[in-house]
Amino acid sequence: FFFNDTATTEIYTLSLHDALPIYFMSEKKAKRLLQRNEVPEELTWDLTKVFKSDEEFEKEYQAVKDEVQNFRKLQGTMDQGSQRFLQIIENFLSINRKFEKVYVYASMKNDQDTTNAKYQGYNEMVDALAAEFSESISWFEPELLELDEDKLKQYFVEKKELKQYEHLIESMLVMRKHTLDKKSESLLAGASDIFGTSQNVFGILNNADLKFPIVKDDNGDDIQLSHGVYGKLIESTNRKVRKAAFKGLYSVYDQFKHTMATTLIGNVKVHNFKARVRNYKDAREAATTSNHIPTEVYDVLLEQVHKNLPLLHRYVKLRKKILGVDELHMYDMYTPLTEDSKLTYNYIQAQIEAKKALKVLGMDYLTHVSEAFENRWIDVVENKGKRSGAYSSGVYDTPPYILLNWQDNLENLFTLVHEMGHSMHSYYTSHNQPYQYGDYPIFLAEIASTTNENILTDYLLKNNDEKEILIYILNHYLDGFKGTVYRQTQFAEFEKWIHEQNSKGVPLTAKSISEYYLELNKKYYGSDVVSDPEIALEWARIPHFYYNFYVYQYATGFAAATTLAENILSGDENKLNKYLTYLKAGSSKYPLEVMKDAGVDMTDSSYLEKAFKVFEERLSQLETLLSEK
């Protein structure tokens, strides 16, 4: 198996069991980014599994556009008998299904080369169709909620075919008591652009208008600071570089803190207003109820993180010791504690390691992982114009594709395993549920991917005995836990506070917000880190604070994944089967019911306690290894 470029031919020998029909281009030989048409076909995803050709896509696009228009004609007829009700539901789902397919094709075609004018055009077409589609179906749910309850029950008696949609309809009807009369709903819908003003202003200001200073990079060269550049410089091993980046970034937010406070408070007011008029206790309840999650889950998370803050303080103290600094600052929290891992993997080797690690999930799971590798579900290497980063994509009627920008390092092996977790979740869901339940809610989305990461961490720790490698792996895990469980919960606590203050009528200013945030930061990180005055402004640059109680799900998902991975690694076949049941459930049940079936009660603290126990064990292991150096 080889890729023959003009410079060299590199051959990688594999066992027959692990052999994969794929070429590999060595990163060290690449002198420039390949054009899209230069990438070997075996390293690209096969989108003919979505549409055989662009012409077929264009034909289907027009058909969907026509169906979207026709669906409007059914408006106002939901009360005209059970047969019409069934027809509306089936048409609604059919249009959704077809639209998703054309949307994902155009989006992925564009992502593989964003410089391609044809696929830029496709992407613009489906974006426009998305708006049209949204408008044409906007009447469906309000009309369902207005339907007489007795009449709806009668429909289910008359039409046995409706039984398969019972949970879908029930999940919509839950919102009935929070739905207003048609006129009020129309007014709220018409004001949606107005309600979004604060978030839009923040987005434009943060992403386009803020001008950051020139700083020095690791080579001593001048570089224009930006969000992306900051993310790299704050991880620099040169303390002067990361300090300058930290102070430079926040000097700009300090100039605009009053504007940023105004946009954030405006957004909070919108959340509180909507919650109030829709008869919710508060904005937090409104946000969690819409996802069928009780606020109890949120409260249990905060309670357990507070209880386990001493573990974070202990990790911070270790970081201070390893870095050998008199004072540990917030700009020291992201630099690696160790040199880069000596573990390197080319893409073929990474596939082999991934399958070895994921073997604990059983042969059926592994078979589908191999299917992803062998059937071109993955777009592997970077090319000119390709979207950066990595993701898992696809819809009910397509393979669960993966986009990568492969580099030969341990971090990319983790990325591959993470995205494979998403894709296998999608595969099992779509192959075990009908279309109406063939996806999964955001609350469950990150659990499968981070479960895979935990399994990989365990595999690497068990199959490496070199001290430096073990230190790197442990630090990788602990930093991930810190950044996801602790940091996102800190964000969630801030979000709860700022909504409560506004709801109580307490005046909020840049000064009062910053003072609270600084104290919160001190509470989370403890006395071994200097909570620099600049960190008081961190709230000003976090876009997630405009997402309406979203961030807590990162923390709950990571913690649940830690527990699930531990269950799987126990070797208990019953626990593995419960996990596979979770993968297959989709949205056929509410999220908490799905997790209960998997063996995790997210209203109870035990899953978090287990996660913190693993964190403590690995922290102790890292402390021991470092003391032996």
Side-chain angles (χ1 to χ4, degrees), residues 2 14 95 173 197 257-258 261 323 333 366 412 415 435 437 564:
F2 61 93
L14 303 174
I95 297 170
L173 292 177
T197 299
K257 60 189 175 187
H258 301 294
L323 292 178
M333 294 303 296
L366 215 55
N412 273 251
T415 299
Y435 172 74
Y437 306 126
L564 290 171

Side-chain angles (χ1 to χ4, degrees), residues 216-280:
K216 299 286 186 183
D217 65 12
D218 285 327
N219 298 318
D221 297 327
D222 288 343
I223 186 169
Q224 176 74 54
L225 197 60
S226 66
H227 295 296
V229 170
Y230 176 78
K232 293 178 180 178
L233 297 186
I234 201 66
E235 296 178 355
S236 171
T237 55
N238 185 327
R239 201 177 194 205
K240 289 183 178 178
V241 168
R242 56 182 188 261
K243 179 179 180 180
F246 179 81
K247 290 189 173 294
L249 184 89
Y250 282 108
S251 68
V252 176
Y253 284 102
D254 187 50
Q255 294 176 48
F256 291 92
K257 60 189 175 187
H258 301 294
T259 300
M260 293 299 197
T262 301
T263 60
L264 180 58
I265 295 163
N267 204 62
V268 167
K269 287 178 178 179
V270 168
H271 294 162
N272 283 340
F273 170 76
K274 286 184 175 180
R276 188 166 61 253
V277 299
R278 291 193 180 281
N279 306 309
Y280 288 102

Side-chain angles (χ1 to χ4, degrees), residues 37-271:
N37 61 10
E38 296 174 320
V39 178
E41 185 179 77
E42 292 79 6
L43 293 176
T44 64
W45 50 27
D46 179 11
L47 296 185
T48 63
K49 292 180 172 68
V50 185
F51 292 111
K52 292 179 182 178
S53 64
D54 289 347
E55 290 72 27
E56 187 177 73
F57 159 78
E58 291 174 5
K59 184 178 179 181
E60 183 66 7
Y61 168 85
Q62 188 56 52
V64 173
K65 193 174 176 67
D66 292 341
E67 285 192 41
V68 165
Q69 292 296 329
N70 289 334
F71 189 70
R72 298 173 193 269
K73 298 174 184 176
L74 295 172
Q75 184 173 356
T77 67
M78 199 175 278
D79 61 353
Q80 294 179 8
S82 57
Q83 178 58 43
R84 174 51 64 91
F85 184 63
L86 177 64
Q87 178 194 357
I88 290 172
I89 290 174
E90 290 181 339
N91 280 16
F92 174 77
L93 293 171
S94 174
I95 297 170
N96 267 279
R97 189 169 180 171
K98 292 174 182 177
F99 168 74
E100 288 175 353
K101 196 174 175 185
V102 297
Y103 189 92
V104 79
Y105 181 83
S107 173
M108 292 170 69
K109 278 286 190 180
N110 184 61
D111 285 349
Q112 71 188 27
D113 182 4
T114 59
T115 67
N116 186 304
K118 179 180 182 180
Y119 297 129
Q120 286 176 3
Y122 278 10
N123 204 44
E124 290 172 7
M125 284 165 56
V126 295
D127 279 346
L129 181 59
E132 190 177 338
F133 170 70
S134 179
E135 184 185 349
S136 77
I137 66 169
S138 62
W139 59 270
F140 175 83
E141 198 162 332
E143 196 163 312
L144 172 64
L145 295 175
E146 288 182 0
L147 200 60
D148 180 77
E149 201 167 334
D150 290 334
K151 179 172 282 192
L152 186 58
K153 287 179 182 177
Q154 184 61 34
Y155 284 175
F156 276 90
V157 172
E158 293 173 4
K159 281 288 176 187
K160 303 303 181 188
E161 297 97 321
L162 287 170
K163 181 70 178 175
Q164 62 188 310
Y165 305 119
E166 190 170 15
H167 178 67
L168 174 69
I169 294 167
E170 177 192 275
S171 65
M172 295 179 184
L173 292 177
V174 168
M175 306 305 295
R176 180 173 263 160
K177 62 182 178 181
H178 301 296
T179 302
L180 310 179
D181 62 79
K182 189 176 289 186
K183 182 178 180 181
S184 299
E185 286 292 343
S186 177
L187 286 170
L188 286 176
S192 60
D193 284 349
I194 300 169
F195 290 147
T197 299
S198 290
Q199 184 176 354
N200 292 337
V201 170
F202 168 80
I204 293 169
L205 187 61
N206 199 46
N207 297 318
D209 287 349
L210 292 187
K211 301 302 178 188
F212 297 101
I214 303 291
V215 295
K216 299 286 186 183
D217 65 12
D218 285 327
N219 298 318
D221 297 327
D222 288 343
I223 186 169
Q224 176 74 54
L225 197 60
S226 66
H227 295 296
V229 170
Y230 176 78
K232 293 178 180 178
L233 297 186
I234 201 66
E235 296 178 355
S236 171
T237 55
N238 185 327
R239 201 177 194 205
K240 289 183 178 178
V241 168
R242 56 182 188 261
K243 179 179 180 180
F246 179 81
K247 290 189 173 294
L249 184 89
Y250 282 108
S251 68
V252 176
Y253 284 102
D254 187 50
Q255 294 176 48
F256 291 92
K257 60 189 175 187
H258 301 294
T259 300
M260 293 299 197
T262 301
T263 60
L264 180 58
I265 295 163
N267 204 62
V268 167
K269 287 178 178 179
V270 168
H271 294 162

Side-chain angles (χ1 to χ4, degrees), residues 384-400:
K384 188 175 181 182
K386 184 177 178 180
R387 174 176 166 160
S388 62
Y391 65 66
S392 171
S393 186
V395 292
Y396 190 81
D397 293 309
T398 75

Side-chain angles (χ1 to χ4, degrees), residues 17-20 350-360 366 369-370 373-374:
H17 175 73
D18 288 316
L20 300 166
Q351 292 176 62
I352 296 169
E353 287 297 284
K355 291 202 289 183
K356 286 179 179 177
L358 299 176
K359 187 177 179 181
V360 295
L366 215 55
V369 170
S370 295
F373 289 144
E374 294 164 10

Side-chain angles (χ1 to χ4, degrees), residues 17 37 39 62 226 259 290 302 328-329 332 413 422 497 619:
H17 175 73
N37 61 10
V39 178
Q62 188 56 52
S226 66
T259 300
S290 65
L302 292 181
L328 186 74
H329 289 262
D332 296 321
L413 174 60
H422 284 306
W497 175 83
L619 176 56

